Amino acid sequence: MPKPLDPKCQLCAKMPTSKAKVLHGLEGDGCWNPNVCHNRRSFYRHRSDDKSGQIDKIKVEPPATYYAVLYLYKEAGDKPLHALSAELWLGQKPVCRLEPIHCFGLTAGKIRAYTDQVLQAFAKQYGISLPQYKDMFEISPTHCPVRPCPLNPD
């Protein structure tokens, strides 16, 4: 049975020799062996050229359907919503984006009504039916893209 591939050597083979010698040589972790490493790096770089034992790959485009996603900028748990944004996707690509807004002073009811208006605007713009968001992602408010922002003063 063949010896398993070494992930460390796989990563090392992708970098230039000079960088690999520094990282793995005497100043680094000390695993660089000039008698072995040049051949091993060549093996790892060119092993994908050897088609024996590999499985064929095909690419099939997924169906292009519209869906909306909602981005909520908030702390984990039962914390208030800092900001929100939304995107409309067609298949694997975003086609329309709602610029992020701060939610300061908005009640839960007003936020729900606003996100419903966003869905209706996406649907009207593209002549489609969007009954709900396909997914919601919670993002830390420290990544809020709205400027100016109390969390990210410029």
Side-chain angles (χ1 to χ4, degrees), residues 74-129:
K74 67 183 285 294
E75 295 289 342
D78 193 22
K79 300 290 183 179
L81 186 60
H82 175 82
L84 67 84
S85 178
E87 287 179 338
L88 179 67
W89 288 65
L90 175 59
Q92 303 298 306
K93 296 182 181 172
V95 293
C96 189
R97 178 173 294 127
L98 168 73
E99 290 300 317
I101 63 159
H102 280 129
C103 296
F104 303 127
L106 297 179
T107 63
K110 287 181 182 179
I111 291 170
R112 176 67 187 182
Y114 180 72
T115 57
D116 287 344
Q117 287 177 341
V118 172
L119 275 179
Q120 292 169 7
F122 283 158
K124 183 178 176 184
Q125 176 75 25
Y126 291 90
I128 56 175
S129 173

Side-chain angles (χ1 to χ4, degrees), residues 17-115:
T17 305
S18 57
K19 186 175 178 183
K21 284 181 180 179
V22 170
L23 188 62
H24 300 293
L26 297 176
E27 300 88 28
D29 62 12
C31 78
W32 181 267
N33 179 348
N35 297 329
V36 176
C37 289
H38 290 291
N39 289 339
R40 187 171 291 160
R41 287 167 45 82
S42 178
F43 166 77
Y44 278 107
R45 278 194 313 275
H46 296 100
R47 69 178 286 278
S48 62
D49 296 342
D50 179 19
K51 298 295 181 198
S52 64
Q54 288 195 0
I55 189 166
D56 289 338
K57 298 175 187 172
I58 64 169
K59 183 175 180 181
V60 178
E61 287 295 321
T65 57
Y66 283 100
Y67 60 95
V69 293
L70 186 62
Y71 299 100
L72 305 173
Y73 295 88
K74 67 183 285 294
E75 295 289 342
D78 193 22
K79 300 290 183 179
L81 186 60
H82 175 82
L84 67 84
S85 178
E87 287 179 338
L88 179 67
W89 288 65
L90 175 59
Q92 303 298 306
K93 296 182 181 172
V95 293
C96 189
R97 178 173 294 127
L98 168 73
E99 290 300 317
I101 63 159
H102 280 129
C103 296
F104 303 127
L106 297 179
T107 63
K110 287 181 182 179
I111 291 170
R112 176 67 187 182
Y114 180 72
T115 57

Side-chain angles (χ1 to χ4, degrees), residues 72-76 79-84 102 104 138-154:
L72 305 173
Y73 295 88
K74 67 183 285 294
E75 295 289 342
K79 300 290 183 179
L81 186 60
H82 175 82
L84 67 84
H102 280 129
F104 303 127
E138 287 188 8
I139 304 167
S140 171
T142 58
H143 299 293
C144 176
V146 182
R147 296 296 183 267
C149 178
L151 295 177
N152 301 302
D154 292 333

